[in-house]
Amino acid sequence: MILKKFAYKISIAAISLFAISTQAQNKIPEVETLLQKMTIEEKIGQLNLVTPGGGIATGSVVSSNVEDKIKAGQVGGLFGIAGPEKIKAAQDFAVKKTRLGIPLIFGSDIIHGYKTTFPIPLALSSTWDMELLKKTAQIAALEATADGINWNFSPMVDIARDPRWGRIAEGAGEDPYLGSEIAKAMVVGYQGDDLTDADTMLACVKHFALYGAVEGGRDYNSVDMSRIKMYNEYFPPYKAAIDAGVGSVMSSFNDVDGIPASGNKWLLTDLLRNQWGFNGFVVSDYTSVNEMIAHGLGDLQTVSALSLKAGLDMDMVGEGFLTTLKKSLEEGKVSEEEITIACRRILEAKFKLGLFDDPYKYINKKRPAKDILKQENRIVARDVAKKSFVLLKNHNSVLPLQKNAKIALIGDLADSKENMLGTWAPTGDPSISIPIIEGFKNVAPNATIMYAKGANITDDEELATNTNVFGTRVVIDKKSPEILLSEAVEVAKKSDVVVAVVGEATEMTGESSSRTDLNISASQKKLINALVETGKPVVLVLMSGRPLTIEDELALPVSILQVWFPGIEAGNAIADVVFGAYNPSGKLTATWPRNVGQIPIYHSIKTTGRPQPTAEFEKFKSNYLDAPNTPLLPFGYGLSYTNFEYSDLKVLKSEIASDESISVSFSIKNTGNFDGEEVVQLYLRDVVRSITQPIKQLKGFKKIMLKKGEKKQIELLLSPDDLKFYNSNLEFVSEPGKFEVFVGTNSDATMKTTFTLK
């Protein structure tokens, strides 16, 4: 067994030891023997990843063209099919119909759960609960492997600071420290401690690299950034995944330093392998090799050769490797050794998965019924969903609601199974999701629930059409907007309290779903204002896959609960929080701007040479004429039904050496009337550095439970690495001097102490 079992430790030290042990391993003898038997055509075939897509014919596992390629030894992996019967049929072609019987690897996009769909990743990150996130990955692996899949195109760890970018929904937000912790948890959750176990799967960290920094928030756009920013702010989550032992990496669509990532040797070889010690394989994103033609780097043969030489091992869908590498070899543009190296990496991954011992190990007809959509899995989905919700405002402490209240439940999204799962849930089934109206009835059976649609998600027909590419998510009602609004107002007048579910449709975020307008739609704004005018208490349940610009709504006398897209148990989880069965504890992992003009805005910005010292406008300082510098809602923000009081912040040493850790302690007390959880957050500022530094950087957090009236002493540890950064020579160093430590409930924390690094 090549990957030795190791006890899971989320600590950096344990992960690093595992990474070192795997990186130091020698070539696998069985793989080397196989390579000696392979023809150049067979080696190139292993580099080809295909999908049958919509070409699956009745009675056939894959389209005839793909079948022929598998039988000819021209396919190394498949994605887009699932189920023991289909997987077995495809594997039979590879194992029984090819000369060497090399098994296929089967991949899939399992971004936030398989059939048990969890909240979108941005929501998952808002739990700040690493053990819970690891559990969601374990369940996803359990269900997917039960359906024959053994390779997951997840986790997506791109740092994203521009909410116009639709794929912000798929990641962990803006912060490299939190993003790194989540990357480690997800990789370990998917891969477990033994990749040969049939309920674990190979993870694939993506999108390498910098995809979340596309210009203008427009998907697939260019990225231009200094190396020092890459290393300090954008690379850490990728490296954390590598250190956790991730088995594969997916290259990104964008260019890095002017060279597309899929053909970037500095990125895929110099950095990934030589600096970080990665020993798995690299797969392109969907046709990203072919797209280098549009980038202007040459024809398909040229860009395919460039990608192989750069360190790309597997070509997803585009088949440039399959159709051009032999010609490039004959012309001396690539070497057989380069093809062999790429092939070796893919074969080693299959070996680590145990596929050479048993190509059918993930094929068990009994497992789908036993492992997929188990009640225990749905319980976890409900639990993680309710813990992901962020209470943005609780006007007059309206929440939680009484379970016997007369409630006007308003909004298209309140009764919409199609919009519960969120983007990139291709393996989920919206028809078995719990809509909000159903959840309210389940959790509060004695409440009177009166429903009205009130408004379309949008009245913009073009936006609706663009949103509905993957299926109907936005329905523009045959009734006029005026009639819909009047119906909602009449229902609201009969109620004790109004709950309006507003925001985005599922596919308004995600891939190829960038937006320039982050306001709540005009139709829903009109609805909200009309409901407020009734004089009834109003609760906004806000659904979105990104931070929205809600300055107008936050100024209204309303309560606001951000629920993202909560997944299969959406309605039950939302009702748990609205009716007080669970006290919300989620915290934002991406800053919410006042308007799109502030973007990019994030908590770890730099001071500049002309910082604005106060909230008041001052000429010739770094500011705006028409808006404050401050965001609408800061990173780490999130309210509770109770209140927490921080005090007694201190460090155990006032001065430390560069190889010492330092303990930070403080007290926290629940001063409210509810038991509740709080995410305590520690931020650090290096006062003087050899390069410009962020105002604050997250360097620690902990989620704790406090009963009402309870007080706890909390201790967080800063390691030597927490004080380090990449300097102008890209050396990872710490420098002597003063450090400021901030602790509190979000990134605006002001409780401060200091220590000195000798």
Side-chain angles (χ1 to χ4, degrees):
M1 191 177 294
I2 298 303
L3 287 185
K4 297 180 179 179
K5 292 189 176 182
F6 65 101
Y8 167 72
K9 301 284 186 181
I10 200 65
S11 70
I12 292 173
I15 286 171
S16 296
L17 284 173
F18 173 73
I20 290 168
S21 69
T22 58
Q23 290 161 14
Q25 68 186 14
N26 296 320
K27 293 176 181 177
I28 299 170
E30 294 87 343
V31 170
E32 296 308 304
T33 300
L34 181 57
L35 283 169
Q36 292 172 11
K37 298 177 182 178
M38 295 175 73
T39 65
I40 194 65
E41 291 85 359
E42 288 168 331
K43 290 178 181 178
I44 292 172
Q46 287 299 304
L47 316 187
N48 192 28
L49 175 64
V50 298
T51 177
I56 300 175
T58 302
S60 175
V61 59
V62 290
S63 66
S64 59
N65 189 40
V66 174
E67 289 179 14
D68 291 343
K69 287 175 181 173
I70 295 173
K71 293 174 184 176
Q74 296 179 339
V75 176
L78 272 180
F79 70 102
I81 68 169
E85 295 83 4
K86 292 182 178 181
I87 297 289
K88 182 179 184 301
Q91 195 70 292
D92 277 344
F93 296 146
V95 173
K96 298 178 180 179
K97 301 294 184 181
T98 63
R99 186 176 73 91
L100 295 174
I102 300 172
L104 298 170
I105 188 171
F106 294 91
S108 184
D109 282 289
I110 304 159
I111 309 303
H112 49 111
Y114 186 60
K115 295 296 185 182
T116 302
T117 308
F118 300 108
I120 60 170
L122 187 61
L124 291 174
S125 71
S126 299
T127 67
W128 297 61
D129 188 329
M130 299 307 106
E131 286 301 314
L132 188 55
L133 296 194
K134 186 182 72 165
K135 181 67 174 176
T136 67
Q138 290 171 331
I139 291 172
L142 175 71
E143 291 194 347
T145 55
D147 243 1
I149 298 162
N150 47 39
W151 179 26
N152 188 9
F153 308 145
S154 176
M156 193 277 243
V157 303
D158 303 314
I159 295 296
R161 293 168 172 179
D162 190 334
R164 294 172 299 180
W165 188 53
R167 301 195 81 168
I168 193 172
E170 295 178 51
E174 71 186 42
D175 186 76
Y177 181 89
L178 177 61
S180 296
E181 294 300 304
I182 291 174
K184 290 185 287 189
M186 298 300 285
V187 168
V188 174
Y190 291 136
Q191 296 191 167
D193 58 12
D194 186 350
L195 268 176
T196 64
D197 287 346
D199 59 358
T200 64
M201 64 196 314
L202 196 74
C204 182
V205 65
K206 64 183 188 183
H207 305 85
F208 193 62
L210 315 179
Y211 186 30
V214 287
E215 290 182 351
R218 179 160 52 86
D219 213 350
Y220 318 122
N221 205 1
S222 183
V223 172
D224 193 8
M225 156 184 324
S226 67
R227 293 276 173 100
I228 205 165
K229 189 165 189 173
M230 294 180 197
Y231 276 80
N232 281 311
E233 301 178 41
Y234 282 81
F235 281 166
Y238 305 116
K239 187 175 187 301
I242 303 305
D243 291 344
V246 71
S248 62
V249 170
M250 184 181 292
S251 62
S252 56
F253 290 112
N254 55 281
D255 60 339
V256 176
D257 273 352
I259 302 175
S262 295
N264 193 311
K265 185 177 184 296
W266 173 78
L267 192 68
L268 302 185
T269 296
D270 297 346
L271 175 68
L272 184 62
R273 297 191 185 280
N274 297 342
Q275 290 186 36
W276 292 356
F278 176 63
N279 70 333
F281 72 94
V282 180
V283 61
S284 75
D285 207 336
Y286 204 108
T287 67
S288 68
V289 173
N290 309 60
E291 290 165 26
M292 290 168 63
I293 300 170
H295 276 287
L297 271 74
D299 61 16
L300 185 59
Q301 182 182 355
T302 300
V303 298
S304 297
L306 178 65
S307 297
L308 180 75
K309 295 179 80 66
L312 189 77
D313 304 307
M314 195 173 227
D315 179 10
M316 184 189 290
V317 177
E319 300 198 331
F321 281 10
L322 183 70
T323 59
T324 72
L325 283 186
K326 186 177 180 183
K327 183 180 179 185
S328 292
L329 176 63
E330 292 168 349
E331 295 175 354
K333 295 176 180 176
V334 301
S335 68
E336 183 170 357
E337 178 62 16
E338 288 167 333
I339 294 171
T340 300
I341 288 171
C343 182
R344 176 184 291 117
R345 291 166 179 160
I346 292 161
L347 295 178
E348 286 177 345
K350 294 178 180 182
F351 191 90
K352 292 171 185 177
L353 284 166
L355 292 174
F356 285 106
D357 291 331
D358 180 6
Y360 301 99
K361 61 176 291 188
Y362 293 92
I363 301 167
N364 183 334
K365 293 181 180 180
K366 295 180 180 179
R367 280 195 62 194
K370 180 173 73 75
D371 292 334
I372 295 176
L373 287 169
K374 294 193 299 184
Q375 185 58 30
E376 304 96 285
N377 298 353
R378 293 193 70 141
I379 289 171
V380 174
R382 183 171 178 170
D383 186 49
V384 70
K386 68 189 181 186
K387 291 179 177 178
S388 73
F389 303 156
V390 183
L391 183 61
L392 305 182
K393 183 180 178 183
N394 195 6
H395 183 70
N396 289 339
S397 299
V398 166
L399 290 171
L401 302 183
Q402 296 297 313
K403 289 188 176 181
N404 60 355
K406 188 183 294 184
I407 298 168
L409 184 59
I410 309 295
D412 196 350
L413 291 165
D415 190 15
S416 174
K417 286 176 176 281
E418 293 76 17
N419 283 298
M420 296 300 102
L421 300 188
T423 188
W424 265 120
T427 56
D429 181 359
S431 70
I432 59 174
S433 66
I434 305 297
I436 296 170
I437 190 169
E438 184 179 333
F440 273 39
K441 292 175 180 178
N442 291 340
V443 172
N446 295 324
T448 300
I449 309 295
M450 300 174 290
Y451 174 75
K453 182 174 179 177
N456 299 311
I457 297 173
T458 179
D459 291 333
D460 185 333
E461 292 185 3
E462 182 178 1
L463 178 58
T465 299
N466 294 344
T467 301
N468 290 339
V469 169
F470 294 137
T472 303
R473 301 292 186 267
V474 176
V475 177
I476 297 182
D477 206 288
K478 293 180 180 179
K479 294 180 182 178
S480 70
E482 293 75 19
I483 291 175
L484 292 175
L485 186 61
S486 65
E487 289 174 346
V489 169
E490 287 305 308
V491 169
K493 288 178 179 177
K494 299 174 185 176
S495 71
D496 299 326
V497 61
V498 177
V499 177
V501 187
V502 296
E504 294 185 309
T506 288
E507 296 305 328
M508 286 179 174
T509 45
E511 185 169 356
S512 191
S513 295
S514 298
R515 300 185 67 188
T516 61
D517 182 357
L518 303 185
N519 288 321
I520 293 174
S521 68
S523 57
Q524 294 179 107
K525 277 181 171 287
K526 190 173 182 180
L527 171 64
I528 293 167
N529 287 322
L531 295 173
V532 169
E533 288 174 5
T534 66
K536 301 289 185 176
V538 175
V539 175
L540 301 183
V541 173
L542 186 57
M543 300 187 74
S544 72
R546 54 160 56 90
L548 297 176
T549 47
I550 59 166
E551 193 166 23
D552 292 344
E553 288 71 30
L554 204 64
L556 294 172
V558 298
S559 300
I560 306 177
L561 180 68
Q562 170 67 18
V563 300
W564 315 105
F565 293 107
I568 193 170
E569 285 289 324
N572 288 332
I574 291 169
D576 284 339
V577 172
V578 167
F579 291 103
Y582 180 76
N583 186 351
S585 62
K587 300 280 189 175
L588 300 177
T589 57
T591 300
W592 284 45
R594 297 176 184 273
N595 55 62
V596 293
Q598 286 188 316
I599 297 170
I601 185 169
Y602 47 96
H603 74 282
S604 55
I605 60 172
K606 296 183 178 181
T607 60
T608 79
R610 293 188 176 189
Q612 179 163 295
T614 67
E616 296 298 319
F617 176 81
E618 187 175 340
K619 196 67 173 175
F620 304 117
K621 298 297 183 181
S622 181
N623 53 29
Y624 299 102
L625 289 172
D626 57 352
N629 286 2
T630 56
L632 184 65
L633 298 168
F635 174 86
Y637 177 88
L639 303 177
S640 168
Y641 294 155
T642 191
N643 299 300
F644 300 100
E645 182 181 274
Y646 290 75
S647 62
D648 304 324
L649 174 63
K650 56 178 178 274
V651 289
L652 297 192
K653 287 185 177 181
S654 61
E655 190 174 80
I656 61 169
S658 61
D659 60 349
E660 286 185 273
S661 297
I662 184 167
S663 179
V664 179
S665 69
F666 55 95
S667 297
I668 181 170
K669 183 177 181 180
N670 182 341
T671 59
N673 297 318
F674 295 83
D675 298 345
E677 291 174 293
E678 168 73 334
V679 178
V680 299
Q681 300 162 44
L682 185 156
Y683 296 86
L684 191 67
R685 181 169 184 261
D686 190 350
V687 178
V688 176
R689 266 188 190 176
S690 59
I691 62 169
T692 56
Q693 62 268 45
I695 293 174
K696 290 175 185 172
Q697 290 178 283
L698 180 71
K699 290 295 180 180
F701 62 89
K702 189 174 185 178
K703 194 163 192 174
I704 59 172
M705 177 69 189
L706 289 168
K707 295 187 178 299
K708 61 180 180 180
E710 185 179 7
K711 185 176 182 179
K712 285 184 178 179
Q713 186 80 9
I714 306 298
E715 186 172 311
L716 298 175
L717 193 68
L718 286 169
S719 73
D721 277 355
D722 290 329
L723 310 186
K724 292 181 178 180
F725 64 97
Y726 288 93
N727 64 17
S728 57
N729 295 318
L730 299 182
E731 300 163 329
F732 193 51
V733 300
S734 58
E735 295 176 344
K738 181 180 177 182
F739 286 80
E740 296 176 337
V741 180
F742 302 84
V743 169
T745 187
N746 59 56
S747 59
D748 281 350
T750 57
M751 188 170 69
K752 182 178 74 172
T753 189
T754 63
F755 67 91
T756 300
L757 182 66
K758 294 188 288 187

Short mmCIF file of all heavy atoms in Angstrom, two decimals, residues 32-68:
data_model
loop_
_atom_site.label_atom_id
_atom_site.label_comp_id
_atom_site.label_asym_id
_atom_site.label_seq_id
_atom_site.Cartn_x
_atom_site.Cartn_y
_atom_site.Cartn_z
N GLU A 32 6.49 1.53 -13.08
CA GLU A 32 7.65 1.56 -13.97
C GLU A 32 7.65 0.35 -14.92
O GLU A 32 7.99 0.48 -16.10
CB GLU A 32 8.94 1.59 -13.14
CG GLU A 32 9.09 2.84 -12.30
CD GLU A 32 8.92 4.11 -13.10
OE1 GLU A 32 9.66 4.30 -14.10
OE2 GLU A 32 8.05 4.93 -12.73
N THR A 33 7.24 -0.79 -14.41
CA THR A 33 7.15 -1.99 -15.26
C THR A 33 6.12 -1.79 -16.36
O THR A 33 6.34 -2.14 -17.53
CB THR A 33 6.78 -3.21 -14.41
OG1 THR A 33 7.80 -3.42 -13.42
CG2 THR A 33 6.66 -4.46 -15.28
N LEU A 34 4.98 -1.19 -15.98
CA LEU A 34 3.93 -0.94 -16.96
C LEU A 34 4.38 0.07 -18.01
O LEU A 34 4.13 -0.10 -19.21
CB LEU A 34 2.67 -0.44 -16.24
CG LEU A 34 1.44 -0.13 -17.11
CD1 LEU A 34 1.02 -1.35 -17.91
CD2 LEU A 34 0.29 0.36 -16.23
N LEU A 35 5.06 1.10 -17.60
CA LEU A 35 5.53 2.12 -18.54
C LEU A 35 6.46 1.52 -19.60
O LEU A 35 6.44 1.92 -20.77
CB LEU A 35 6.26 3.24 -17.79
CG LEU A 35 5.37 4.25 -17.05
CD1 LEU A 35 6.22 5.12 -16.14
CD2 LEU A 35 4.60 5.12 -18.04
N GLN A 36 7.26 0.55 -19.20
CA GLN A 36 8.18 -0.09 -20.14
C GLN A 36 7.44 -0.88 -21.22
O GLN A 36 7.96 -1.08 -22.32
CB GLN A 36 9.15 -0.99 -19.39
CG GLN A 36 10.13 -0.22 -18.51
CD GLN A 36 10.96 -1.14 -17.62
OE1 GLN A 36 10.95 -2.36 -17.80
NE2 GLN A 36 11.68 -0.56 -16.66
N LYS A 37 6.23 -1.30 -20.91
CA LYS A 37 5.44 -2.08 -21.87
C LYS A 37 4.61 -1.20 -22.80
O LYS A 37 4.12 -1.69 -23.83
CB LYS A 37 4.48 -3.01 -21.11
CG LYS A 37 5.16 -4.04 -20.23
CD LYS A 37 4.11 -4.85 -19.48
CE LYS A 37 4.74 -5.88 -18.54
NZ LYS A 37 3.70 -6.63 -17.78
N MET A 38 4.44 0.07 -22.43
CA MET A 38 3.50 0.93 -23.15
C MET A 38 4.11 1.53 -24.41
O MET A 38 5.27 1.95 -24.41
CB MET A 38 3.00 2.05 -22.23
CG MET A 38 2.19 1.56 -21.05
SD MET A 38 1.73 2.89 -19.89
CE MET A 38 0.47 3.74 -20.86
N THR A 39 3.31 1.60 -25.44
CA THR A 39 3.70 2.33 -26.64
C THR A 39 3.52 3.82 -26.40
O THR A 39 2.85 4.24 -25.44
CB THR A 39 2.84 1.91 -27.83
OG1 THR A 39 1.48 2.31 -27.59
CG2 THR A 39 2.91 0.40 -28.06
N ILE A 40 4.05 4.63 -27.28
CA ILE A 40 3.89 6.08 -27.12
C ILE A 40 2.43 6.47 -27.26
O ILE A 40 1.94 7.37 -26.57
CB ILE A 40 4.78 6.84 -28.13
CG1 ILE A 40 4.87 8.32 -27.74
CG2 ILE A 40 4.27 6.67 -29.56
CD1 ILE A 40 5.56 8.58 -26.43
N GLU A 41 1.70 5.75 -28.13
CA GLU A 41 0.27 6.05 -28.29
C GLU A 41 -0.49 5.74 -27.00
O GLU A 41 -1.40 6.49 -26.62
CB GLU A 41 -0.31 5.23 -29.45
CG GLU A 41 0.17 5.64 -30.82
CD GLU A 41 1.49 4.98 -31.21
OE1 GLU A 41 2.05 4.21 -30.38
OE2 GLU A 41 1.97 5.23 -32.34
N GLU A 42 -0.14 4.67 -26.35
CA GLU A 42 -0.82 4.31 -25.10
C GLU A 42 -0.49 5.30 -23.99
O GLU A 42 -1.35 5.62 -23.15
CB GLU A 42 -0.43 2.89 -24.69
CG GLU A 42 -1.06 1.83 -25.60
CD GLU A 42 -0.46 0.46 -25.40
OE1 GLU A 42 0.74 0.36 -25.01
OE2 GLU A 42 -1.17 -0.54 -25.63
N LYS A 43 0.74 5.78 -23.97
CA LYS A 43 1.10 6.79 -22.97
C LYS A 43 0.31 8.07 -23.20
O LYS A 43 -0.22 8.67 -22.26
CB LYS A 43 2.60 7.07 -23.03
CG LYS A 43 3.47 5.93 -22.52
CD LYS A 43 4.96 6.26 -22.66
CE LYS A 43 5.83 5.12 -22.18
NZ LYS A 43 7.28 5.41 -22.35
N ILE A 44 0.22 8.50 -24.44
CA ILE A 44 -0.54 9.72 -24.75
C ILE A 44 -2.01 9.52 -24.41
O ILE A 44 -2.67 10.44 -23.92
CB ILE A 44 -0.34 10.09 -26.23
CG1 ILE A 44 1.10 10.55 -26.48
CG2 ILE A 44 -1.32 11.20 -26.64
CD1 ILE A 44 1.44 10.75 -27.95
N GLY A 45 -2.52 8.32 -24.63
CA GLY A 45 -3.92 8.04 -24.30
C GLY A 45 -4.23 8.26 -22.84
O GLY A 45 -5.33 8.71 -22.48
N GLN A 46 -3.28 7.95 -21.96
CA GLN A 46 -3.52 8.15 -20.53
C GLN A 46 -3.65 9.62 -20.17
O GLN A 46 -4.20 9.96 -19.12
CB GLN A 46 -2.37 7.52 -19.73
CG GLN A 46 -2.41 6.01 -19.69
CD GLN A 46 -3.66 5.46 -19.05
OE1 GLN A 46 -3.99 5.79 -17.90
NE2 GLN A 46 -4.38 4.63 -19.77
N LEU A 47 -3.19 10.50 -21.01
CA LEU A 47 -3.24 11.94 -20.74
C LEU A 47 -4.56 12.56 -21.18
O LEU A 47 -4.74 13.77 -21.04
CB LEU A 47 -2.09 12.65 -21.46
CG LEU A 47 -0.70 12.02 -21.42
CD1 LEU A 47 0.33 12.95 -22.04
CD2 LEU A 47 -0.31 11.63 -20.01
N ASN A 48 -5.48 11.76 -21.68
CA ASN A 48 -6.72 12.25 -22.27
C ASN A 48 -7.89 12.02 -21.32
O ASN A 48 -8.20 10.88 -20.95
CB ASN A 48 -6.98 11.52 -23.60
CG ASN A 48 -8.09 12.17 -24.40
OD1 ASN A 48 -8.33 13.37 -24.29
ND2 ASN A 48 -8.78 11.38 -25.21
N LEU A 49 -8.53 13.11 -20.91
CA LEU A 49 -9.71 13.05 -20.04
C LEU A 49 -10.92 13.52 -20.84
O LEU A 49 -10.92 14.63 -21.39
CB LEU A 49 -9.52 13.96 -18.82
CG LEU A 49 -10.71 14.10 -17.86
CD1 LEU A 49 -11.05 12.76 -17.20
CD2 LEU A 49 -10.41 15.16 -16.79
N VAL A 50 -11.94 12.68 -20.93
CA VAL A 50 -13.09 13.00 -21.77
C VAL A 50 -14.38 12.86 -20.99
O VAL A 50 -14.42 12.28 -19.90
CB VAL A 50 -13.15 12.09 -23.02
CG1 VAL A 50 -11.93 12.30 -23.89
CG2 VAL A 50 -13.29 10.63 -22.63
N THR A 51 -15.44 13.40 -21.57
CA THR A 51 -16.78 13.23 -21.01
C THR A 51 -17.74 12.89 -22.13
O THR A 51 -17.67 13.48 -23.21
CB THR A 51 -17.26 14.51 -20.29
OG1 THR A 51 -18.61 14.32 -19.83
CG2 THR A 51 -17.21 15.73 -21.20
N PRO A 52 -18.64 11.95 -21.90
CA PRO A 52 -19.64 11.66 -22.93
C PRO A 52 -20.67 12.76 -23.07
O PRO A 52 -21.37 12.83 -24.07
CB PRO A 52 -20.27 10.35 -22.44
CG PRO A 52 -20.05 10.36 -20.97
CD PRO A 52 -18.74 11.04 -20.75
N GLY A 53 -20.76 13.62 -22.05
CA GLY A 53 -21.71 14.74 -22.12
C GLY A 53 -23.11 14.27 -22.39
O GLY A 53 -23.59 13.29 -21.82
N GLY A 54 -23.77 14.96 -23.31
CA GLY A 54 -25.15 14.61 -23.63
C GLY A 54 -25.25 13.52 -24.68
O GLY A 54 -26.33 13.22 -25.17
N GLY A 55 -24.12 12.92 -25.04
CA GLY A 55 -24.13 11.95 -26.11
C GLY A 55 -24.37 10.53 -25.65
O GLY A 55 -24.11 9.58 -26.39
N ILE A 56 -24.87 10.35 -24.44
CA ILE A 56 -25.11 9.00 -23.94
C ILE A 56 -26.35 8.43 -24.61
O ILE A 56 -27.45 8.97 -24.49
CB ILE A 56 -25.30 9.01 -22.41
CG1 ILE A 56 -24.04 9.56 -21.74
CG2 ILE A 56 -25.61 7.63 -21.90
CD1 ILE A 56 -24.17 9.72 -20.25
N ALA A 57 -26.18 7.35 -25.33
CA ALA A 57 -27.30 6.74 -26.05
C ALA A 57 -28.01 5.74 -25.16
O ALA A 57 -27.43 5.19 -24.22
CB ALA A 57 -26.79 6.06 -27.31
N THR A 58 -29.28 5.49 -25.46
CA THR A 58 -30.05 4.52 -24.70
C THR A 58 -29.38 3.16 -24.77
O THR A 58 -29.06 2.65 -25.84
CB THR A 58 -31.48 4.43 -25.25
OG1 THR A 58 -32.07 5.72 -25.19
CG2 THR A 58 -32.31 3.46 -24.44
N GLY A 59 -29.15 2.55 -23.61
CA GLY A 59 -28.54 1.24 -23.57
C GLY A 59 -27.03 1.25 -23.64
O GLY A 59 -26.41 0.20 -23.62
N SER A 60 -26.43 2.42 -23.76
CA SER A 60 -24.97 2.50 -23.86
C SER A 60 -24.46 3.43 -22.79
O SER A 60 -25.01 4.50 -22.57
CB SER A 60 -24.56 3.02 -25.23
OG SER A 60 -23.16 3.21 -25.28
N VAL A 61 -23.38 3.03 -22.13
CA VAL A 61 -22.85 3.83 -21.04
C VAL A 61 -22.30 5.15 -21.55
O VAL A 61 -22.41 6.17 -20.88
CB VAL A 61 -21.77 3.05 -20.26
CG1 VAL A 61 -20.63 2.62 -21.15
CG2 VAL A 61 -21.25 3.88 -19.10
N VAL A 62 -21.68 5.12 -22.71
CA VAL A 62 -21.11 6.35 -23.27
C VAL A 62 -21.41 6.39 -24.75
O VAL A 62 -21.83 5.41 -25.36
CB VAL A 62 -19.58 6.42 -23.06
CG1 VAL A 62 -19.23 6.62 -21.61
CG2 VAL A 62 -18.90 5.17 -23.59
N SER A 63 -21.18 7.54 -25.36
CA SER A 63 -21.35 7.65 -26.81
C SER A 63 -20.37 6.72 -27.51
O SER A 63 -19.31 6.40 -26.98
CB SER A 63 -21.14 9.09 -27.27
OG SER A 63 -19.80 9.47 -27.06
N SER A 64 -20.72 6.29 -28.72
CA SER A 64 -19.91 5.32 -29.43
C SER A 64 -18.49 5.84 -29.68
O SER A 64 -17.54 5.10 -29.67
CB SER A 64 -20.58 4.95 -30.76
OG SER A 64 -20.76 6.11 -31.56
N ASN A 65 -18.37 7.15 -29.89
CA ASN A 65 -17.06 7.72 -30.15
C ASN A 65 -16.14 7.56 -28.94
O ASN A 65 -14.97 7.20 -29.07
CB ASN A 65 -17.20 9.20 -30.52
CG ASN A 65 -15.90 9.78 -31.02
OD1 ASN A 65 -15.17 9.13 -31.76
ND2 ASN A 65 -15.62 11.01 -30.63
N VAL A 66 -16.67 7.81 -27.77
CA VAL A 66 -15.87 7.66 -26.56
C VAL A 66 -15.56 6.19 -26.31
O VAL A 66 -14.45 5.83 -25.91
CB VAL A 66 -16.57 8.32 -25.36
CG1 VAL A 66 -15.82 8.03 -24.07
CG2 VAL A 66 -16.71 9.81 -25.57
N GLU A 67 -16.53 5.35 -26.55
CA GLU A 67 -16.29 3.91 -26.39
C GLU A 67 -15.12 3.45 -27.26
O GLU A 67 -14.24 2.71 -26.81
CB GLU A 67 -17.54 3.12 -26.76
CG GLU A 67 -18.68 3.25 -25.77
CD GLU A 67 -19.90 2.45 -26.21
OE1 GLU A 67 -19.76 1.60 -27.12
OE2 GLU A 67 -20.98 2.67 -25.66
N ASP A 68 -15.13 3.88 -28.49
CA ASP A 68 -14.07 3.49 -29.41
C ASP A 68 -12.71 3.97 -28.92
O ASP A 68 -11.71 3.25 -29.02
CB ASP A 68 -14.34 4.05 -30.81
CG ASP A 68 -15.54 3.39 -31.48
OD1 ASP A 68 -15.95 2.30 -31.03
OD2 ASP A 68 -16.08 3.97 -32.45
#
